[in-house]
Amino acid sequence: MEAGGVLLVLGLVLVAGMAGGVVARLLRLPALTGFLGAGIALGPHGLDLVPHAAAQTLGGPVNDLAMALVLFVLGGQFTLRRLRGSGAALVRLSGLEAAFTFALVTVFSFPVLGSVPGALLLGVMAVAVAPATTLVVLKEYQAKGPITDAVLTLTALSNIWSILAFEAVLLVLVAFSGGEAGPGAVLWDATGSLLYGLVAGHLLIFLRQQSGRDSDTVPLLTVLLLTIGACKLTGVPHMLAFLVTGAVVANRSRVFKPLTGAMDSFAQPAFVAF
């Protein structure tokens, strides 16, 4: 599909999303509800107004950028100060909740699916909490305070547990199926994500310091896009990488709040399209 057609479709998606958000607010619902409704209406299960080629072209980059922004913010919740305070209790609480959810969904899914791999993977998926949904709703209502911080931290932790559990389950399933992939591939997924996150975090701090206080969006977008590309080229899951990036910036500098504040100028269109 030509570039002009893709841009036209993107404009249509944004207009529909904004209209859906307005309707949702009139009904005293989160704007995100309207975004989702507009997406369903435009998609193949609704009016099917978005060409499938355009959806495939836009879907990957838009989703990757939106998730990168969300996970960067969530990663910034893991500061040493917070971990020394209520962080340890939140880690224990989140770990117990993740283990209980995984076990419950896996056990009750098996009789329905009749497949151990399917039940295990569904259990892993159930552990994760939708990070974009949580962050967008909290930002819309300008929620602040210790409860909001705890919700953000628990959301980030749930996704960390889900990523680690997925790698562990994948390793077990591959081992039992006689596949060629082994511990090395799983180890690279984890260490590669950590490595990219560490490099991206320090690179973002450096670029922000060099560009000055009046420039936050360009360094942030530059690092996020570079990290997405590097992760995809090397086959490394990028979700954990962006959580680490946010944690590095929040712990190693004072630019985390300015950077996340600058996100408001460009993140909303990505969230609407997402």
Side-chain angles (χ1 to χ4, degrees):
M1 191 172 186
E2 296 183 358
V6 173
L7 294 176
L8 180 62
V9 169
L10 179 59
L12 174 63
V13 169
L14 292 176
V15 168
M18 289 189 296
V22 170
V23 173
R25 291 190 184 96
L26 291 175
L27 297 175
R28 299 185 180 278
L29 296 172
L32 181 65
T33 307
F35 301 160
L36 295 173
I40 294 173
L42 291 177
H45 299 292
L47 301 176
D48 199 14
L49 296 179
V50 178
H52 294 182
Q56 292 177 354
T57 301
L58 288 171
V62 168
N63 292 350
D64 288 339
L65 178 58
M67 288 302 297
L69 293 168
V70 170
L71 293 169
F72 174 76
V73 175
L74 293 178
Q77 307 304 310
F78 295 102
T79 61
L80 293 177
R81 177 182 58 83
R82 185 168 296 161
L83 292 176
R84 291 192 188 102
S86 60
L90 290 177
V91 170
R92 290 194 296 270
L93 174 63
S94 177
L96 289 173
E97 185 270 338
F100 178 76
T101 301
F102 172 76
L104 190 68
V105 173
T106 301
V107 169
F108 282 95
S109 296
F110 176 71
V112 178
L113 299 177
S115 167
V116 172
L120 288 172
L121 292 175
L122 196 60
V124 170
M125 293 173 61
V127 171
V129 175
T133 302
T134 304
L135 182 63
V136 170
V137 173
L138 290 176
K139 287 182 70 67
E140 178 180 352
Y141 290 98
Q142 300 180 353
K144 295 180 181 179
I147 299 299
T148 300
D149 293 340
V151 169
L152 291 173
T153 302
L154 289 171
T155 301
L157 284 169
S158 72
N159 285 275
I160 292 174
W161 302 136
S162 181
I163 294 169
L164 297 177
F166 176 79
E167 297 295 342
V169 168
L170 184 63
L171 179 61
V172 171
L173 294 179
V174 169
F176 277 98
S177 64
E180 297 180 357
V186 176
L187 183 62
W188 168 239
D189 284 350
T191 57
S193 296
L194 292 173
L195 177 62
Y196 286 151
L198 289 171
V199 173
H202 287 95
L203 177 61
L204 179 53
I205 294 171
F206 173 77
L207 292 178
R208 169 59 169 72
Q209 291 173 342
Q210 297 302 312
S211 61
R213 296 182 178 180
D214 296 331
S215 180
D216 290 315
T217 57
V218 174
L220 179 59
L221 277 175
T222 299
V223 171
L224 294 183
L225 293 176
L226 285 173
T227 307
I228 291 172
C231 288
K232 286 188 173 295
L233 286 175
T234 54
V236 172
H238 60 269
M239 291 184 65
L240 183 57
F242 290 117
L243 287 170
V244 175
T245 303
V248 169
V249 174
N251 284 281
R252 299 281 295 171
S253 72
R254 298 182 179 180
V255 302
F256 180 76
K257 286 188 176 180
L259 287 171
T260 53
M263 282 174 48
D264 293 336
S265 63
F266 65 89
Q268 190 66 10
F271 293 150
V272 172
F274 175 69

